[in-house]
């Protein structure tokens, strides 16, 4: 049985008439904005029930137009919430743009009687028998991968990390070898023969790629991943402390079998701080963690040799664990979006919401991040908090974040990117209302600040920036063992510790960028599938990834992004 939020989106997904075959969608009964599901021309006539709408302007797919005449200062609604204010009179049937509306949201507050609330959610009993093959850890967590990490505590160690990468990947069988993307020799040859620039550009170059070669010495170790970053020293000490907390979260992640940590010795981010962070979040940690300090070594070659030998011994231990059956309750989903478009909130994001609700119903966890993209739906999430304490924490984090961002000249209203706006996300509130659909309808069991760990089963809120990589970095650092990432424009983002499943919002993107996209929800927009159908298929795909039977595109491409959040500098 599907939940009301899903039904609201499905009910009017295809609105047609004898006079118009164009598709439009009114997401919520309160909305005075309508979504174009395909390109509409000026003077086209579309119908919403008995309401005839003459298009005053062309409206491209993903964009919105006015359901009625809107006067200066009026609020505009989408997804049933305020997403903007009219800055220039808008006629019925006119496209919504940055020229006629501006960002606006409703105020939010803490309601009374939190303890008296009851929750009614679907049980999803038909998913009780589903499982995956994962790596069981001594603390009861289960990894979807069994990875070894090589981590620098400070940017001074990045070069050493790269040197270790050259040796370990190639010699242990983890190097992902690809043929050249195109034959540059042909260009060189023709250039030397006197070809013009136009002739060089017009030349057809046969491109070829072959599958990665993978014959690892340690078959139960899925990968060795090498993190690099620009922190650890030279900036605020608070950022170095935050970095240590983040790295401790990575080492504690159930997908991580062990780690080699490289330190220079004199930086802010000391080994002792990381050890303290590890003891705080995982006092019984029994994974092999190797700490190496260069300033205690007599030479760089000797230092790197010791790193390699100790890492090799650690990998022997990591290889002893094998995949075993695990229930859905052992999954912790990270919920992310990036390169969003006007379809994100009505296809891919609600599908993630469905999968999230299923996992939560089975005793698992889901984590909704990107706080700038919850601006405008704060009240809904406050109302879904199970405790007053969590509601207060969420309200405080949202207000403090916006105040700090505004002081730096970039409030929440600055969040939509040029690509977002071009594809129909005109205000941050429009973007947020759709982004929040990733969290489904489950109650919020916990609210986490950046680097805090997931400890409760259910839906968690995690304070991160809207920046794709900083947010996925944070999700893995807080304990997600698989990340679902929706995109309408296409993004190759991945993560070194956690597989990232890319979910397309539209079929055009899926067909155009098959090399970076794993799953398509555009069939919902096409009128072929429902949110529930796509959700069930996506869950099956996730379980294949979690069991190691499918490799996500980001892994195939070697896309292992890691960017810690410097809180004073990111939004």
């Amino acid at each position: 049985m599907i939940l009301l939020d899903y039904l609201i989106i499905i009910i009017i997904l295809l609105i047609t008439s004898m006079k118009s075959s164009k598709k439009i969608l009114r997401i919520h009964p309160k909305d005075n904005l309508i979504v174009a599901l395909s390109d509409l021309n000026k003077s086209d006539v579309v119908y919403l029930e008995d309401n005839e709408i003459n298009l005053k302007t062309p409206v491209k797919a993903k964009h919105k137009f006015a359901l009625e005449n809107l006067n200066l200062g009026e609020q505009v609604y989408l997804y049933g919430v305020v997403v903007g204010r009219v800055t220039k009179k808008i006629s019925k049937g006119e496209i919504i743009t940055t020229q006629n509306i501006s960002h606006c949201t409703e105020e939010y507050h803490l309601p009374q009687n939190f303890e008296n609330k009851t929750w009614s959610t679907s049980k999803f009993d038909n998913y009780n028998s589903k499982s995956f093959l994962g790596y069981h850890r001594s603390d009861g967590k289960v990894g979807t991968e069994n990875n070894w990490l090589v981590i620098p505590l400070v940017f001074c160690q990045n070069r050493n990390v790269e040197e270790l990468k050259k040796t370990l990947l190639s010699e242990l069988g983890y190097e992902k070898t690809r043929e050249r993307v195109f034959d540059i020799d042909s260009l060189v040859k023709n250039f030397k023969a006197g070809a013009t620039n136009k002739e060089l550009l017009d030349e057809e170059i046969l491109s070829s790629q072959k599958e990665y070669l993978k014959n690892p010495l340690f078959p139960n170790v899925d990968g060795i991943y090498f993190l690099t970053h620009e922190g650890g020293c030279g900036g605020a000490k608070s950022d170095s402390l935050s970095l240590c907390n983040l790295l401790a979260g990575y080492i504690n992640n159930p997908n991580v079998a062990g780690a080699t940590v490289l330190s220079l010795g004199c930086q802010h981010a000391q080994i002792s701080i990381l050890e303290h962070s590890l003891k705080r979040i995982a006092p019984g940690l029994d994974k092999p963690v190797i700490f190496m300090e260069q300033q205690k070594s007599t030479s760089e070659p000797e230092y790197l040799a010791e790193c390699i030998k100790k890492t090799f011994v650690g990998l022997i231990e990591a290889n002893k664990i094998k995949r075993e059956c695990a229930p859905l309750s052992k999954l912790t989903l990270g919920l992310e979006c990036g390169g969003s478009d006007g379809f994100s909130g009505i296809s891919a994001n609600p599908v993630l919401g469905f999968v999230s609700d299923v996992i939560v119903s089975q005793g698992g966890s889901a984590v909704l991040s990107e706080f700038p993209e919850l601006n405008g739906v704060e009240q809904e999430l406050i109302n879904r908090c199970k405790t007053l304490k969590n509601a207060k924490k969420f309200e405080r984090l949202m207000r403090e974040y916006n105040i700090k961002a505004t002081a730096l000249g970039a409030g929440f209203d600055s969040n939509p990117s040029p690509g977002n706006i071009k594809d129909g996300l005109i205000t941050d509130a429009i973007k947020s209302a759709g982004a929040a659909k990733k969290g489904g309808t489950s109650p919020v069991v916990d609210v986490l600040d950046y680097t805090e760990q997931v400890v409760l089963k259910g839906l968690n809120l995690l304070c991160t920036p809207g920046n794709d990589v900083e947010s996925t970095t944070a999700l893995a650092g807080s304990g997600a063992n698989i990340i679902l990432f929706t995109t309408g424009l296409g993004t190759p983002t991945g993560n070194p510790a956690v597989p990232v499943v890319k979910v397309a919002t539209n079929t055009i993107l899926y067909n155009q960028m098959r090399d970076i996209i794993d799953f398509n929800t555009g069939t919902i927009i096409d009128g072929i599938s429902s949110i529930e159908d796509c959700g069930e298929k996506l869950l099956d795909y996730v379980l294949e990834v979690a069991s190691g039977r499918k490799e996500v595109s980001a892994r195939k491409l070697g896309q292992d992004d890691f960017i810690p959040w410097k809180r004073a500098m990111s939004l």
Side-chain angles (χ1 to χ4, degrees):
M1 181 177 180
I2 33 185
L3 301 168
L4 180 59
D5 271 16
Y6 306 131
L7 285 170
I8 288 172
I9 296 175
I10 295 170
I11 286 173
I12 323 172
L13 188 58
L14 295 176
I15 300 172
T16 62
S17 72
M18 293 178 63
K19 296 183 180 179
S20 173
S21 62
K22 303 296 184 181
K23 294 186 293 183
I24 62 174
L25 171 65
R26 189 184 193 186
I27 299 171
H28 191 279
K30 286 182 66 174
D31 293 352
N32 52 15
L33 300 184
I34 304 298
V35 183
L37 300 181
S38 61
D39 290 348
L40 303 175
N41 299 313
K42 182 179 180 180
S43 301
D44 279 351
V45 179
V46 293
Y47 293 84
L48 182 64
E49 298 173 346
D50 295 330
N51 192 347
E52 180 180 285
I53 307 168
N54 293 276
L55 273 296
K56 301 294 189 297
T57 57
V59 183
K60 288 187 177 181
K62 307 180 184 181
H63 285 262
K64 291 82 183 167
F65 61 89
L67 175 61
E68 58 197 31
N69 292 326
L70 299 171
N71 295 316
L72 185 67
E74 281 193 64
Q75 293 178 328
V76 293
Y77 288 80
L78 196 67
Y79 299 95
V81 298
V82 175
V83 295
R85 187 181 300 280
V86 176
T87 58
K88 180 181 178 182
K89 186 175 179 179
I90 305 171
S91 299
K92 179 179 178 179
E94 183 179 349
I95 189 172
I96 302 302
T97 71
T98 56
Q99 303 303 309
N100 55 28
I101 70 167
S102 62
H103 174 77
C104 179
T105 61
E106 291 180 284
E107 258 303 320
Y108 53 95
H109 62 279
L110 293 171
Q112 303 299 315
N113 303 320
F114 257 83
E115 305 307 321
N116 296 329
K117 288 190 295 184
T118 58
W119 301 96
S120 177
T121 58
S122 296
K123 297 299 181 184
F124 298 103
D125 292 335
N126 52 321
Y127 297 95
N128 291 346
S129 62
K130 287 190 178 290
S131 62
F132 69 101
L133 296 175
Y135 297 95
H136 292 249
R137 307 298 180 190
S138 61
D139 60 2
K141 297 176 183 177
V142 177
T144 62
E145 291 181 334
N146 192 38
N147 298 319
W148 189 276
L149 300 184
V150 178
I151 301 171
L153 269 177
V154 61
F155 60 84
C156 305
Q157 292 297 297
N158 284 350
R159 178 181 171 277
N160 288 330
V161 168
E162 293 296 337
E163 288 299 316
L164 292 178
K165 184 176 182 179
K166 292 176 188 176
T167 301
L168 291 171
L169 290 187
S170 60
E171 298 301 323
L172 300 184
Y174 289 94
E175 188 169 33
K176 295 182 175 180
T177 305
R178 298 170 68 187
E179 290 183 357
R180 288 178 293 184
V181 176
F182 58 85
D183 184 10
I184 195 170
D185 292 340
S186 176
L187 284 178
V188 173
K189 178 182 177 181
N190 290 329
F191 167 72
K192 289 181 176 179
T196 65
N197 289 354
K198 185 178 186 307
E199 287 171 335
L200 293 173
L201 292 171
D202 289 344
E203 183 180 352
E204 182 178 353
I205 301 173
L206 297 178
S207 62
S208 62
Q209 289 182 302
K210 63 182 178 182
E211 289 296 317
Y212 296 138
L213 301 175
K214 189 172 183 181
N215 185 25
L217 179 64
F218 303 111
N220 293 326
V221 177
D222 292 300
I224 308 173
Y225 295 101
F226 301 80
L227 282 59
T228 57
H229 57 80
E230 302 304 317
C233 199
K237 289 185 179 180
S238 59
D239 278 339
S240 292
L241 175 60
S242 181
L243 174 65
C244 288
N245 291 336
L246 178 69
L247 296 177
Y250 268 70
I251 294 169
N252 187 48
N253 189 290
N255 286 14
V256 175
T260 304
V261 181
L262 276 62
S263 168
L264 179 61
C266 57
Q267 72 277 350
H268 286 321
Q270 288 285 303
I271 289 176
S272 59
I273 299 175
L274 177 55
E275 288 177 321
H276 177 77
S277 296
L278 277 170
K279 288 178 182 178
R280 178 175 53 81
I281 66 171
L285 186 74
D286 60 356
K287 298 176 182 179
V289 182
I290 300 159
F291 293 100
M292 300 295 299
E293 189 168 302
Q294 187 172 6
Q295 289 174 345
K296 291 182 178 179
S297 182
T298 58
S299 70
E300 187 174 280
E302 184 232 355
Y303 174 65
L304 292 175
E306 284 298 306
C307 289
I308 291 169
K309 288 188 290 183
K310 291 182 178 180
T311 298
F312 190 89
V313 172
L315 288 166
I316 294 173
E317 293 303 308
N319 191 54
K320 293 177 180 179
I321 188 172
K322 296 181 179 180
R323 290 185 182 269
E324 297 177 9
C325 189
L328 297 190
S329 60
K330 296 300 183 179
L331 286 178
T332 299
L333 300 181
L335 305 170
E336 181 70 26
C337 57
S340 300
D341 70 351
F343 287 160
S344 293
I346 56 180
S347 61
N349 290 349
V351 168
L352 261 61
F354 177 88
V355 175
S356 171
D357 283 344
V358 171
I359 296 302
V360 167
S361 77
Q362 297 299 308
S365 301
V367 190
L368 180 63
S369 57
E370 300 180 290
F371 272 28
E373 294 175 16
L374 300 179
N375 181 221
V377 292
E378 295 96 340
Q379 192 63 60
E380 176 200 342
L381 292 169
I382 285 172
N383 294 343
R384 285 166 59 184
C385 287
K386 293 192 74 171
T387 67
L388 181 60
K389 178 182 177 182
N390 281 330
K392 286 182 175 179
K393 185 175 181 180
F394 176 62
E395 181 196 36
R396 174 179 61 79
L397 288 172
M398 286 295 289
R399 293 194 189 281
E400 287 178 354
Y401 195 152
N402 197 26
I403 289 170
K404 192 169 186 178
T406 301
L408 292 170
F412 286 162
D413 60 316
S414 303
N415 183 257
S417 70
N420 294 150
I421 294 170
K422 179 177 178 290
D423 270 47
L425 301 178
I426 303 302
T427 69
D428 182 59
I430 291 177
K431 186 177 181 181
S432 296
K437 297 299 178 186
K438 301 192 300 293
T441 61
S442 300
V444 175
V445 298
D446 208 357
V447 176
L448 309 173
D449 202 354
Y450 181 62
T451 75
E452 289 183 337
Q453 300 294 291
V454 174
V455 294
L456 297 180
K457 299 293 188 178
L459 178 63
N460 294 252
L461 304 181
L462 173 64
C463 183
T464 76
N467 178 288
D468 305 345
V469 179
E470 287 177 331
S471 186
T472 52
T473 296
L475 285 167
S478 286
N481 58 6
I482 195 162
I483 295 174
L484 307 186
F485 188 120
T486 69
T487 181
L489 305 177
T491 172
T493 301
N495 184 267
V498 179
V500 178
V501 179
K502 270 337 148 15
V503 182
T505 70
N506 62 88
T507 303
I508 292 174
L509 171 67
Y510 179 69
N511 290 332
Q512 180 182 345
M513 304 185 78
R514 289 293 295 272
D515 58 329
I516 69 169
I517 302 294
D518 301 296
F519 190 87
N520 181 32
T521 64
T523 52
I524 296 171
I525 303 299
D526 302 334
I528 299 172
S529 305
S530 69
I531 289 169
E532 186 176 33
D533 290 339
C534 273
E536 290 176 346
K537 291 176 182 176
L538 178 57
L539 178 59
D540 287 340
Y541 184 88
V542 166
L543 296 180
E544 288 291 292
V545 173
S547 299
R549 290 189 288 261
K550 283 190 181 293
E551 186 176 35
V552 296
S553 297
R555 283 279 185 254
K556 294 176 184 177
L557 293 170
Q559 196 77 33
D560 307 318
D561 304 302
F562 178 81
I563 302 181
W565 180 23
K566 294 183 179 180
R567 298 188 81 158
M569 300 176 67
S570 299
L571 174 62

